[in-house]
Amino acid sequence: MNVHTLPIWSRTVVGAVKRTCRAQHGSEAAVDDLRWPRIEAALLALRSSGRHAVRIVDADCGAGTLLLHALGHARQLGFTAVEGHGIDRSSLLIGRARLAARRAADPALGVDFEAADMITALRDEQDLPADIVICHDLARDRRPEAARAVRNAGRIVITDDAACHVRGIAA
């Protein structure tokens, strides 16, 4: 496993702070994702509020790169209980995500990947909403229940169209 240090700029309530983040090789794609700054800010806000546990759901997770990077980053921020759930329709991509999760094995991370319809899987999340839901290209799914399922599945919803829905916490 090739691990190196990447500089990352974070915005907190206090202002911009430069720090380094140990990241797995290949996670540069995650940091370059347009959603990453909002994911990082949400994790920082949760941690700054005293939280020690975090649960992240990635709807349409693909090969799991962004979710795995977010989970690893949560551990680096000091979260002691970190859970992730990746959902994608493609069983091939879910297989790749599971393989990547095994390679990045961290006993403190609980992560599972599921090949399923996004709406059906997110409805299962509504009873105990995740802290953060990451969604890719929600506009592509024109079913009205898709946006509702995403919103109800998490307290903070981050999409790649610059939308961010926050329920129940200050972000």
Side-chain angles (χ1 to χ4, degrees):
M1 179 171 15
N2 184 5
V3 177
H4 60 284
T5 303
L6 296 172
I8 296 177
W9 284 90
S10 301
R11 217 176 228 341
T12 64
V13 176
V14 185
V17 178
K18 184 178 181 182
R19 63 189 178 9
T20 57
C21 169
R22 292 187 54 81
Q24 289 186 10
H25 178 69
S27 64
E28 293 89 357
V31 175
D32 289 339
D33 189 296
L34 296 176
R35 297 166 292 177
W36 178 250
R38 286 174 283 146
I39 294 167
E40 186 179 30
L43 287 169
L44 284 167
L46 288 167
R47 189 66 187 108
S48 295
S49 72
R51 293 283 304 275
H52 295 282
V54 66
R55 187 161 188 287
I56 304 170
V57 172
D58 188 349
D60 202 13
C61 68
T65 304
L66 185 60
L67 177 59
L68 291 171
H69 187 71
L71 296 175
H73 189 67
R75 283 288 292 148
Q76 292 165 6
L77 290 175
F79 286 95
T80 55
V82 181
E83 281 187 34
H85 181 197
I87 305 160
D88 200 281
R89 284 180 287 207
S90 169
S91 56
L92 175 66
L93 290 175
I94 289 298
R96 289 181 184 168
R98 288 176 179 155
L99 182 61
R102 280 194 295 274
R103 279 190 300 231
D106 179 341
L109 300 180
V111 62
D112 69 306
F113 290 96
E114 173 185 17
D117 173 68
M118 180 181 68
I119 293 174
T120 304
L122 289 176
R123 281 185 182 146
D124 292 341
E125 299 288 338
Q126 292 177 16
D127 291 336
L128 186 59
D131 296 297
I132 301 171
V133 174
I134 306 166
C135 189
H136 175 64
D137 201 10
L138 184 58
R140 181 178 48 163
D141 192 333
R142 300 204 184 278
R143 299 175 288 179
E145 62 269 21
R148 189 176 323 107
V150 169
R151 274 195 315 274
N152 292 337
R155 295 170 45 192
I156 301 170
V157 176
I158 299 169
T159 65
D160 53 2
D161 63 358
C164 186
H165 169 76
V166 178
R167 176 179 58 170
I169 69 162

